[in-house]
Amino acid sequence: MSGAARTARQPGSPVLAGTCARGFEGVRELLGHNLATGVELGASLCVMRGEEVVVDLWGGTADAATGRPWTRDTVVNTYSLTKTATALCALLLVDRGLLDPDAPVADYWPEFAAAGKGPSGPDTVLVRHVLGHTSGMSGWDRAMAVDDLYDGPSAADLLARQEPWWTPGDGSGYHAMSFGTLVGELVRRITGRSLGEFLAAEVAGPLGADYWIGAPRELRDDPARVASMVAPPPSGFDYASFPADSILRRTLTNPAFSPALTTDDAFLAAELGGANGQGNARSVALLQSVVACGGTTRGRRFLAPETLDRIFEVQADGPDRVLGVPVRFGLGWGLPSPSMPGVRPGRVCWWTGFGGSVVSADADRGITVAYVMNRMGPGLIGAPRPNAYLDAVYESL
């Protein structure tokens, strides 16, 4: 932390703690105001400029029922923001020559060739189709409960046997839960390790990032560290108004789970690479600084420049079959688009989690921004709170 940094104790807002470098006072003021006025219950926000952490703030309440405070090491479920950590694992395999984005998935997972998805089939699914949400495999044909996903190989086998829901490569349909299952199985087939094991050993561990897909026993045995989620207000969106066989309904409701489940021991232990990463803003920023720093950070090379460039290859750009809004997808991340006005143009990749968490890695400016919270807002993407924090960061620059 630079010498210009100081402990943040916002006047009138004793819940806010952490450090903030000079020039970023507007970021601190916004988070402090939101905590003091109840817009936020508990949250953390981190900004890195290159490899330097210039903002590391946290505060509020981690558990509404007990009033337990949000501390420096509080972690929380990050919902679909988890996909950025999952995608980073896939890019590491690409960089090592172990995974080719342009190869059929079945080259690494032979059973996936079923139902015409193999190299010679009419619906060949390529690795980049999975990473870009264009594979046609955005959900399961069979009715699924959340605990059906806890057995990753079994959930993956069900996907391997089914037909795509649309022609692979023909536009996107957000892979809300299946993204983690599909990429996780590719990681397992290639490395012999589960997605969570690979992330911990190859990325989070070397960076010292307290981020987990599959929380370890010591974290699950320390419930004071895990924030509980507060469900968003009713959105008025009625999934039942869509036909039972619609892609939107089948993807977003099969399975669906309550935010109350996110502190359940079995859920924490599971490795759902699309939806149950546990971390704080500092750990999320550390992971994604790999991208913002050109593939090398904290003295370790993770990605070559040419591998990093592939993130920004557009895989789909238009109305998403599941999210219902235009989205631009690169290789594993979202790219700047009108659906997320807070994300700046350029070589920037981002994604968000249900309720409002967000991370943005800006390779042009060397800036990483991460925000996680436990009071969930409505909507799947484009929520006002994360956009406001992103605006405050770029105004500070």
Side-chain angles (χ1 to χ4, degrees):
M1 197 69 188
S2 72
R6 56 179 174 150
T7 299
R9 292 290 180 185
Q10 182 85 348
S13 179
V15 293
L16 183 61
T19 53
C20 180
R22 289 193 182 98
F24 290 88
E25 291 87 355
V27 179
R28 183 187 67 225
E29 290 167 5
L30 178 59
L31 179 59
H33 172 79
N34 286 346
L35 286 165
T37 58
V39 173
E40 301 279 8
L41 179 64
S44 62
L45 178 63
C46 184
V47 181
M48 294 181 65
R49 184 166 49 194
E51 298 186 21
E52 180 187 14
V53 176
V54 292
V55 176
D56 185 11
L57 299 170
W58 61 87
T61 301
D63 183 71
T66 65
R68 171 166 51 88
W70 189 298
T71 69
R72 183 183 188 278
D73 294 323
T74 296
V75 298
V76 68
N77 188 61
T78 61
Y79 281 88
S80 285
L81 187 150
T82 308
K83 293 179 176 69
T84 62
T86 299
L88 190 57
C89 290
L91 262 288
L92 258 67
L93 296 179
V94 171
D95 191 78
R96 297 171 186 180
L98 300 174
L99 181 65
D100 180 358
D102 299 308
V105 171
D107 283 2
Y108 309 95
W109 178 1
E111 296 88 343
F112 195 81
K117 302 190 301 300
S120 59
D123 289 316
T124 304
V125 175
L126 306 179
V127 171
R128 62 180 173 84
H129 293 154
V130 171
L131 291 170
H133 299 267
T134 70
S135 74
M137 307 296 293
S138 66
W140 285 262
D141 285 339
R142 200 188 85 175
M144 302 288 283
V146 175
D147 54 7
D148 291 328
L149 304 185
Y150 295 171
D151 183 343
S154 294
D157 182 63
L158 292 173
L159 291 173
R161 287 189 266 149
Q162 73 182 50
E163 296 178 2
W165 291 350
W166 67 89
T167 301
D170 181 20
S172 68
Y174 182 51
H175 294 19
M177 298 297 288
S178 63
F179 185 89
T181 301
L182 293 166
V183 178
E185 185 64 11
L186 283 168
V187 169
R188 188 178 75 87
R189 295 283 176 139
I190 292 167
T191 69
R193 290 184 284 183
S194 70
L195 176 65
E197 290 169 344
F198 185 83
L199 174 69
E202 302 294 336
V203 192
L207 287 175
D210 189 17
Y211 192 91
W212 308 92
I213 299 177
R217 183 77 263 171
E218 57 267 27
L219 178 59
R220 287 154 34 221
D221 285 343
D222 187 7
R225 283 200 57 208
V226 182
S228 56
M229 306 300 294
V230 176
S235 66
F237 189 85
D238 183 10
Y239 293 114
S241 67
F242 290 82
D245 62 350
S246 72
I247 291 173
L248 181 153
R249 183 170 170 180
R250 285 192 287 171
T251 300
L252 295 180
T253 67
N254 184 38
F257 60 91
S258 165
L261 186 66
T262 60
T263 55
D264 178 78
D265 186 79
F267 181 88
L268 289 168
E271 297 185 15
L272 308 182
N276 86 330
Q278 302 290 326
N280 49 40
R282 185 186 319 107
S283 63
V284 171
L286 275 171
L287 292 179
Q288 298 306 311
S289 71
V290 170
V291 177
C293 292
T296 299
T297 188
R298 300 291 167 101
R300 181 173 177 133
R301 175 198 174 281
F302 290 91
L303 301 174
E306 55 269 25
T307 306
L308 190 142
D309 287 345
R310 299 218 60 171
I311 294 172
F312 305 102
E313 296 175 359
V314 176
Q315 305 299 316
D317 188 5
D320 184 89
R321 292 171 171 86
V322 173
L323 297 174
V325 296
V327 183
R328 185 175 297 131
F329 281 113
L331 198 71
W333 286 258
L335 303 180
S337 71
S339 65
M340 194 70 175
V343 177
R344 285 348 191 225
R347 283 164 44 87
V348 180
C349 61
W350 70 281
W351 202 239
T352 184
F354 179 40
S357 61
V358 73
V359 65
S360 171
D362 186 333
D364 284 342
R365 303 166 185 87
I367 297 294
T368 312
V369 184
Y371 153 74
V372 303
M373 77 300 134
N374 61 349
R375 172 163 284 159
M376 303 171 70
L380 294 175
I381 62 174
R385 267 187 285 164
N387 285 343
Y389 292 127
L390 289 168
D391 287 342
V393 169
Y394 279 94
E395 288 166 8
S396 298
L397 299 175

